[in-house]
Amino acid sequence: MVPDQRIHERPAASADWLRAARTARSLSVATLAWLSVESTLGLAAGFAAHSLALIGWGLSALVEAAASLIVVWRFTGARTLSPSAENTARKAVAASFWLLAPYLVLHVAHDLDAGHRSTPSVLGIVVTAFSLVSMPALGIAKRRLGARLASEATSGEGTQNLICAAMAAGVLASLWLNTLGWWWVDPVVAVALAAVAVREGTRAWHGHHCCH
């Protein structure tokens, strides 16, 4: 049952549903504000350290920002009660998962061929550590709201936030292991992130999200 049908058939639940929709939109706006900072600092640190994983993580923040913008669009004005808007938003969020993978794979191939190695970055460590702490809370909240709203677009955005936290953990690990001479961890993390992006994009397109 689509959200607007549920509202009209269960008027008593309408206020709760609309309140949840406003909360989802507000969380997405707040996420956009943070991701603008995260992406700028992450990319700056990544290029300075020549870290594939850190650059990829910074770019993924732009992808997450696109997903957040889509959810804001979804719950603005007349689109709030539109099943067609939800379907469009779901597919747009799914497509946003796929934007990152080609860049990561090509960048890995180029840097391995050129023999580039990443170096530790204090700025990168600080920014990724903050996301490692904050993104799980946002992701869980949005996935719960997505379930309440029957909005796979909202759930998909929440999944991206959780992936961001996992990516931050991977980036931190690769930066530390690189100091031990394990330079290969960085490109491996980048390729793994590309695979995750493709997988989650496919799941979102078909309306299936990770439940663990």
Side-chain angles (χ1 to χ4, degrees), residues 57 60 64 97 135 156 158-169 193 196-197 200-201:
W57 179 78
S60 75
E64 285 184 82
F97 277 104
M135 283 300 168
T159 298
Q160 288 200 15
N161 294 152
L162 294 177
I163 289 175
C164 177
M167 289 164 56
L193 298 185
V196 169
E200 290 302 324

Side-chain angles (χ1 to χ4, degrees), residues 13-39:
S14 300
D16 289 338
W17 193 93
L18 291 172
R19 190 178 303 111
R22 289 192 295 269
T23 300
R25 184 177 60 199
S26 297
L27 285 178
S28 294
V29 170
T31 303
L32 276 172
W34 163 243
L35 289 176
S36 64
V37 175
E38 177 184 287
S39 179

Side-chain angles (χ1 to χ4, degrees), residues 175-202:
L175 288 174
W176 173 65
L177 290 172
N178 189 65
T179 65
L180 304 178
W182 294 11
W183 59 267
W184 49 268
V185 173
D186 199 35
V188 167
V189 169
V191 171
L193 298 185
V196 169
V198 171
R199 175 179 180 273
E200 290 302 324
T202 301

Side-chain angles (χ1 to χ4, degrees), residues 22-208:
R22 289 192 295 269
T23 300
R25 184 177 60 199
S26 297
L27 285 178
S28 294
V29 170
T31 303
L32 276 172
W34 163 243
L35 289 176
S36 64
V37 175
E38 177 184 287
S39 179
T40 300
L41 296 180
L43 287 173
F47 283 113
H50 208 84
S51 166
L52 292 173
L54 194 53
I55 291 171
W57 179 78
L59 286 173
S60 75
L62 295 178
V63 176
E64 285 184 82
S68 296
L69 192 60
I70 290 165
V71 173
V72 171
W73 174 87
R74 161 70 182 93
F75 290 113
T76 298
R79 289 183 296 272
T80 301
L81 302 179
S82 170
S84 62
E86 171 60 30
N87 186 55
T88 299
R90 174 179 59 81
K91 291 185 176 181
V93 168
S96 73
F97 277 104
W98 296 327
L99 296 178
L100 186 59
Y103 172 84
L104 285 173
V105 172
L106 291 175
H107 209 328
V108 166
H110 173 270
D111 278 27
L112 288 180
D113 180 65
H116 291 150
R117 301 290 183 264
S118 63
T119 57
S121 166
V122 174
L123 177 59
I125 291 172
V126 170
V127 176
T128 50
F130 185 84
S131 288
L132 180 60
V133 173
S134 62
M135 283 300 168
L138 278 173
I140 292 171
K142 290 174 185 177
R143 284 169 61 86
R144 287 175 177 171
L145 283 169
R148 289 175 59 189
L149 295 167
S151 170
E152 293 175 351
T154 304
S155 296
E157 186 199 0
T159 298
Q160 288 200 15
N161 294 152
L162 294 177
I163 289 175
C164 177
M167 289 164 56
V171 168
L172 288 172
S174 69
L175 288 174
W176 173 65
L177 290 172
N178 189 65
T179 65
L180 304 178
W182 294 11
W183 59 267
W184 49 268
V185 173
D186 199 35
V188 167
V189 169
V191 171
L193 298 185
V196 169
V198 171
R199 175 179 180 273
E200 290 302 324
T202 301
R203 288 170 62 85
W205 184 271
H206 294 292
H208 301 292

